[in-house]
Amino acid sequence: MGTPITERSIALAIVFSIITCGIYGLYWLYKLSEETDLVLGTRSEASPAMVVVFSIITCGIYNIYWCYKQGGKFEEYGRYTGRNDAESWGVMMLVLALANYFCGVTMLIAYALMQDKINNIVRFNNQGNPYGQGGAYANSDNING
């Protein structure tokens, strides 16, 4: 399989995004897109690089759509694994992405919440999950992002 995923410090990612005026945020977006597909065993419509490019050329409009789709993936994962801690994530991510146009920091909150989910899944996998990367869900054709 690809490179192993390690937990990312959410606080440092937020600080780096602010210090670099959003440049690190684009890298974080790339990594979130890549790692979500890896840990959930899903396939996105666009590659991580294209997610960043589409977000830039549409002035963030594609990012709203992407956040909604990512939230839906976590929602589906929660239903499939019986961990309903991600209910209404698609809508929540959509609201946070839309609110970013008025507040400016809610996209970082959305990224932080997604990163927390990824970190939790990675932590679970590192504790000896018998199903491997992405849990039992990764071996299922139940979701295809």
Side-chain angles (χ1 to χ4, degrees):
M1 212 145 151
T3 55
I5 301 170
T6 58
E7 292 183 51
R8 186 176 315 281
S9 170
I10 296 169
L12 284 178
I14 290 172
V15 168
F16 289 157
S17 295
I18 293 169
I19 289 174
T20 62
C21 298
I23 302 296
Y24 187 84
L26 294 174
Y27 170 75
W28 195 12
L29 173 63
Y30 177 91
K31 294 306 284 182
L32 283 170
S33 183
E34 177 182 58
E35 292 174 355
T36 300
D37 285 345
L38 287 173
V39 298
L40 299 183
T42 59
R43 185 170 307 149
S44 292
E45 298 164 354
S47 70
M50 292 310 295
V51 169
V52 173
V53 169
F54 291 158
S55 294
I56 292 170
I57 63 174
T58 63
C59 298
I61 293 171
Y62 182 81
N63 206 5
I64 295 169
Y65 168 77
W66 179 85
C67 281
Y68 175 73
K69 294 296 280 185
Q70 295 298 96
K73 287 180 185 181
F74 285 110
E75 216 174 292
E76 184 69 25
Y77 178 78
R79 276 195 295 273
Y80 184 82
T81 59
R83 298 176 58 194
N84 290 330
D85 56 350
E87 287 186 29
S88 303
W89 260 59
V91 173
M92 181 176 64
M93 292 297 131
L94 176 65
V95 169
L96 287 170
L98 286 170
N100 190 57
Y101 285 101
F102 302 103
C103 182
V105 296
T106 58
M107 193 61 73
L108 291 177
I109 294 168
Y111 289 178
L113 291 171
M114 284 187 257
Q115 187 66 58
D116 182 56
K117 285 288 184 200
I118 291 170
N119 287 349
N120 288 337
I121 294 168
V122 167
R123 198 173 304 123
F124 176 74
N125 287 341
N126 289 341
Q127 292 175 353
N129 176 13
Y131 296 108
Q133 187 97 340
Y137 191 69
N139 300 324
S140 170
D141 293 328
N142 198 16
I143 185 170
N144 209 4

